[in-house]
mmCIF file of all heavy atoms in Angstrom:
data_model
loop_
_atom_site.group_PDB
_atom_site.id
_atom_site.type_symbol
_atom_site.label_atom_id
_atom_site.label_comp_id
_atom_site.label_asym_id
_atom_site.label_seq_id
_atom_site.Cartn_x
_atom_site.Cartn_y
_atom_site.Cartn_z
ATOM 1 N N SER A 14 73.166 83.171 100.825
ATOM 2 C CA SER A 14 73.780 84.038 99.825
ATOM 3 C C SER A 14 73.143 85.427 99.841
ATOM 4 O O SER A 14 73.839 86.444 99.783
ATOM 5 C CB SER A 14 73.638 83.410 98.441
ATOM 6 O OG SER A 14 74.133 84.268 97.460
ATOM 7 N N LEU A 15 71.819 85.484 99.932
ATOM 8 C CA LEU A 15 71.120 86.767 99.971
ATOM 9 C C LEU A 15 71.474 87.529 101.243
ATOM 10 O O LEU A 15 71.687 88.739 101.203
ATOM 11 C CB LEU A 15 69.608 86.571 99.857
ATOM 12 C CG LEU A 15 68.786 87.853 99.871
ATOM 13 C CD1 LEU A 15 69.158 88.763 98.698
ATOM 14 C CD2 LEU A 15 67.301 87.548 99.861
ATOM 15 N N LYS A 16 71.560 86.836 102.361
ATOM 16 C CA LYS A 16 71.934 87.496 103.616
ATOM 17 C C LYS A 16 73.321 88.133 103.491
ATOM 18 O O LYS A 16 73.532 89.253 103.950
ATOM 19 C CB LYS A 16 71.921 86.505 104.771
ATOM 20 C CG LYS A 16 70.536 86.142 105.245
ATOM 21 C CD LYS A 16 70.610 85.148 106.384
ATOM 22 C CE LYS A 16 69.245 84.739 106.856
ATOM 23 N NZ LYS A 16 69.320 83.729 107.936
ATOM 24 N N ASN A 17 74.247 87.423 102.877
ATOM 25 C CA ASN A 17 75.593 87.967 102.680
ATOM 26 C C ASN A 17 75.562 89.196 101.770
ATOM 27 O O ASN A 17 76.242 90.186 102.027
ATOM 28 C CB ASN A 17 76.522 86.911 102.100
ATOM 29 C CG ASN A 17 76.857 85.822 103.083
ATOM 30 O OD1 ASN A 17 76.787 86.019 104.293
ATOM 31 N ND2 ASN A 17 77.200 84.652 102.576
ATOM 32 N N GLU A 18 74.780 89.123 100.706
ATOM 33 C CA GLU A 18 74.665 90.250 99.778
ATOM 34 C C GLU A 18 74.042 91.465 100.460
ATOM 35 O O GLU A 18 74.493 92.595 100.275
ATOM 36 C CB GLU A 18 73.825 89.835 98.572
ATOM 37 C CG GLU A 18 73.746 90.877 97.499
ATOM 38 C CD GLU A 18 73.002 90.401 96.269
ATOM 39 O OE1 GLU A 18 72.827 89.183 96.085
ATOM 40 O OE2 GLU A 18 72.601 91.272 95.487
ATOM 41 N N LEU A 19 73.025 91.240 101.282
ATOM 42 C CA LEU A 19 72.364 92.346 101.964
ATOM 43 C C LEU A 19 73.255 92.939 103.046
ATOM 44 O O LEU A 19 73.226 94.152 103.273
ATOM 45 C CB LEU A 19 71.022 91.889 102.531
ATOM 46 C CG LEU A 19 69.994 91.478 101.473
ATOM 47 C CD1 LEU A 19 68.738 90.934 102.137
ATOM 48 C CD2 LEU A 19 69.662 92.621 100.529
ATOM 49 N N GLN A 20 74.049 92.111 103.688
ATOM 50 C CA GLN A 20 75.019 92.628 104.664
ATOM 51 C C GLN A 20 76.039 93.516 103.955
ATOM 52 O O GLN A 20 76.389 94.590 104.437
ATOM 53 C CB GLN A 20 75.720 91.473 105.390
ATOM 54 C CG GLN A 20 76.705 91.933 106.432
ATOM 55 C CD GLN A 20 76.064 92.738 107.540
ATOM 56 O OE1 GLN A 20 74.935 92.486 107.945
ATOM 57 N NE2 GLN A 20 76.773 93.734 108.031
ATOM 58 N N TRP A 21 76.500 93.076 102.788
ATOM 59 C CA TRP A 21 77.414 93.891 101.992
ATOM 60 C C TRP A 21 76.759 95.223 101.644
ATOM 61 O O TRP A 21 77.388 96.279 101.722
ATOM 62 C CB TRP A 21 77.804 93.159 100.708
ATOM 63 C CG TRP A 21 78.498 94.058 99.744
ATOM 64 C CD1 TRP A 21 79.825 94.338 99.707
ATOM 65 C CD2 TRP A 21 77.896 94.816 98.691
ATOM 66 N NE1 TRP A 21 80.087 95.241 98.694
ATOM 67 C CE2 TRP A 21 78.915 95.551 98.056
ATOM 68 C CE3 TRP A 21 76.590 94.958 98.228
ATOM 69 C CZ2 TRP A 21 78.676 96.398 96.985
ATOM 70 C CZ3 TRP A 21 76.348 95.808 97.157
ATOM 71 C CH2 TRP A 21 77.382 96.514 96.551
ATOM 72 N N LEU A 22 75.487 95.179 101.259
ATOM 73 C CA LEU A 22 74.769 96.392 100.879
ATOM 74 C C LEU A 22 74.710 97.388 102.034
ATOM 75 O O LEU A 22 74.985 98.580 101.857
ATOM 76 C CB LEU A 22 73.353 96.033 100.406
ATOM 77 C CG LEU A 22 72.462 97.186 99.979
ATOM 78 C CD1 LEU A 22 73.040 97.872 98.745
ATOM 79 C CD2 LEU A 22 71.062 96.683 99.705
ATOM 80 N N LYS A 23 74.382 96.913 103.226
ATOM 81 C CA LYS A 23 74.329 97.799 104.393
ATOM 82 C C LYS A 23 75.698 98.412 104.671
ATOM 83 O O LYS A 23 75.806 99.616 104.942
ATOM 84 C CB LYS A 23 73.834 97.040 105.620
ATOM 85 C CG LYS A 23 72.366 96.699 105.572
ATOM 86 C CD LYS A 23 71.902 96.113 106.884
ATOM 87 C CE LYS A 23 71.853 94.622 106.799
ATOM 88 N NZ LYS A 23 71.339 93.965 107.995
ATOM 89 N N GLU A 24 76.741 97.588 104.604
ATOM 90 C CA GLU A 24 78.095 98.088 104.848
ATOM 91 C C GLU A 24 78.519 99.093 103.781
ATOM 92 O O GLU A 24 79.180 100.084 104.081
ATOM 93 C CB GLU A 24 79.079 96.924 104.899
ATOM 94 C CG GLU A 24 78.895 96.046 106.112
ATOM 95 C CD GLU A 24 79.704 94.761 106.064
ATOM 96 O OE1 GLU A 24 80.434 94.540 105.067
ATOM 97 O OE2 GLU A 24 79.603 93.973 107.019
ATOM 98 N N GLU A 25 78.121 98.849 102.543
ATOM 99 C CA GLU A 25 78.462 99.758 101.446
ATOM 100 C C GLU A 25 77.817 101.131 101.663
ATOM 101 O O GLU A 25 78.452 102.162 101.459
ATOM 102 C CB GLU A 25 78.005 99.146 100.115
ATOM 103 C CG GLU A 25 78.573 99.820 98.910
ATOM 104 C CD GLU A 25 80.063 99.606 98.748
ATOM 105 O OE1 GLU A 25 80.643 98.684 99.341
ATOM 106 O OE2 GLU A 25 80.672 100.387 97.999
ATOM 107 N N PHE A 26 76.566 101.139 102.092
ATOM 108 C CA PHE A 26 75.906 102.414 102.374
ATOM 109 C C PHE A 26 76.584 103.134 103.529
ATOM 110 O O PHE A 26 76.725 104.353 103.499
ATOM 111 C CB PHE A 26 74.412 102.205 102.651
ATOM 112 C CG PHE A 26 73.566 102.390 101.422
ATOM 113 C CD1 PHE A 26 73.472 101.391 100.477
ATOM 114 C CD2 PHE A 26 72.888 103.565 101.199
ATOM 115 C CE1 PHE A 26 72.716 101.549 99.339
ATOM 116 C CE2 PHE A 26 72.128 103.744 100.060
ATOM 117 C CZ PHE A 26 72.039 102.736 99.131
ATOM 118 N N GLU A 27 77.002 102.410 104.557
ATOM 119 C CA GLU A 27 77.716 103.025 105.676
ATOM 120 C C GLU A 27 79.003 103.681 105.191
ATOM 121 O O GLU A 27 79.303 104.817 105.544
ATOM 122 C CB GLU A 27 78.032 101.987 106.745
ATOM 123 C CG GLU A 27 76.836 101.522 107.532
ATOM 124 C CD GLU A 27 77.176 100.396 108.492
ATOM 125 O OE1 GLU A 27 78.378 100.136 108.730
ATOM 126 O OE2 GLU A 27 76.238 99.771 108.990
ATOM 127 N N ILE A 28 79.755 102.964 104.382
ATOM 128 C CA ILE A 28 81.033 103.491 103.883
ATOM 129 C C ILE A 28 80.810 104.713 103.001
ATOM 130 O O ILE A 28 81.501 105.724 103.132
ATOM 131 C CB ILE A 28 81.797 102.393 103.109
ATOM 132 C CG1 ILE A 28 82.266 101.307 104.063
ATOM 133 C CG2 ILE A 28 82.974 102.987 102.343
ATOM 134 C CD1 ILE A 28 82.754 100.042 103.382
ATOM 135 N N LEU A 29 79.848 104.615 102.102
ATOM 136 C CA LEU A 29 79.642 105.695 101.134
ATOM 137 C C LEU A 29 78.950 106.923 101.703
ATOM 138 O O LEU A 29 79.265 108.048 101.319
ATOM 139 C CB LEU A 29 78.820 105.181 99.946
ATOM 140 C CG LEU A 29 79.499 104.191 99.015
ATOM 141 C CD1 LEU A 29 78.500 103.642 98.008
ATOM 142 C CD2 LEU A 29 80.664 104.848 98.305
ATOM 143 N N ILE A 48 72.372 102.043 93.156
ATOM 144 C CA ILE A 48 72.755 100.839 93.885
ATOM 145 C C ILE A 48 71.520 100.022 94.247
ATOM 146 O O ILE A 48 71.465 98.810 94.021
ATOM 147 C CB ILE A 48 73.567 101.186 95.150
ATOM 148 C CG1 ILE A 48 74.929 101.752 94.780
ATOM 149 C CG2 ILE A 48 73.724 99.956 96.057
ATOM 150 C CD1 ILE A 48 75.701 102.338 95.949
ATOM 151 N N LEU A 49 70.514 100.685 94.806
ATOM 152 C CA LEU A 49 69.295 99.961 95.188
ATOM 153 C C LEU A 49 68.582 99.382 93.971
ATOM 154 O O LEU A 49 68.107 98.242 94.011
ATOM 155 C CB LEU A 49 68.353 100.862 95.978
ATOM 156 C CG LEU A 49 68.819 101.260 97.371
ATOM 157 C CD1 LEU A 49 67.748 102.072 98.073
ATOM 158 C CD2 LEU A 49 69.200 100.056 98.204
ATOM 159 N N TYR A 51 69.926 98.441 91.176
ATOM 160 C CA TYR A 51 70.726 97.308 90.715
ATOM 161 C C TYR A 51 70.460 96.068 91.575
ATOM 162 O O TYR A 51 70.272 94.968 91.056
ATOM 163 C CB TYR A 51 72.214 97.653 90.730
ATOM 164 C CG TYR A 51 73.074 96.503 90.282
ATOM 165 C CD1 TYR A 51 73.275 96.251 88.932
ATOM 166 C CD2 TYR A 51 73.656 95.644 91.212
ATOM 167 C CE1 TYR A 51 74.052 95.188 88.509
ATOM 168 C CE2 TYR A 51 74.427 94.573 90.807
ATOM 169 C CZ TYR A 51 74.623 94.344 89.453
ATOM 170 O OH TYR A 51 75.374 93.273 89.050
ATOM 171 N N ILE A 52 70.451 96.254 92.884
ATOM 172 C CA ILE A 52 70.209 95.128 93.791
ATOM 173 C C ILE A 52 68.820 94.549 93.563
ATOM 174 O O ILE A 52 68.652 93.332 93.473
ATOM 175 C CB ILE A 52 70.385 95.554 95.269
ATOM 176 C CG1 ILE A 52 71.837 95.929 95.551
ATOM 177 C CG2 ILE A 52 69.890 94.470 96.218
ATOM 178 C CD1 ILE A 52 72.824 94.791 95.446
ATOM 179 N N THR A 71 65.587 94.948 104.413
ATOM 180 C CA THR A 71 66.874 95.633 104.265
ATOM 181 C C THR A 71 66.700 96.958 103.533
ATOM 182 O O THR A 71 67.267 97.979 103.939
ATOM 183 C CB THR A 71 67.885 94.738 103.535
ATOM 184 O OG1 THR A 71 68.049 93.539 104.282
ATOM 185 C CG2 THR A 71 69.224 95.439 103.390
ATOM 186 N N ILE A 75 67.508 100.692 105.080
ATOM 187 C CA ILE A 75 68.435 101.626 104.436
ATOM 188 C C ILE A 75 67.726 102.953 104.177
ATOM 189 O O ILE A 75 68.275 104.020 104.454
ATOM 190 C CB ILE A 75 68.998 101.033 103.135
ATOM 191 C CG1 ILE A 75 70.003 99.927 103.466
ATOM 192 C CG2 ILE A 75 69.654 102.112 102.275
ATOM 193 C CD1 ILE A 75 70.472 99.133 102.269
#
Side-chain angles (χ1 to χ4, degrees):
S14 176
L15 181 61
K16 285 180 181 178
N17 290 336
E18 185 175 342
L19 295 175
Q20 181 61 35
W21 168 86
L22 180 64
K23 288 187 261 183
E24 291 170 0
E25 194 69 18
F26 266 79
E27 288 175 13
I28 291 167
L29 290 172
I48 292 170
L49 291 184
Y51 179 82
I52 294 294
T71 301
I75 287 172

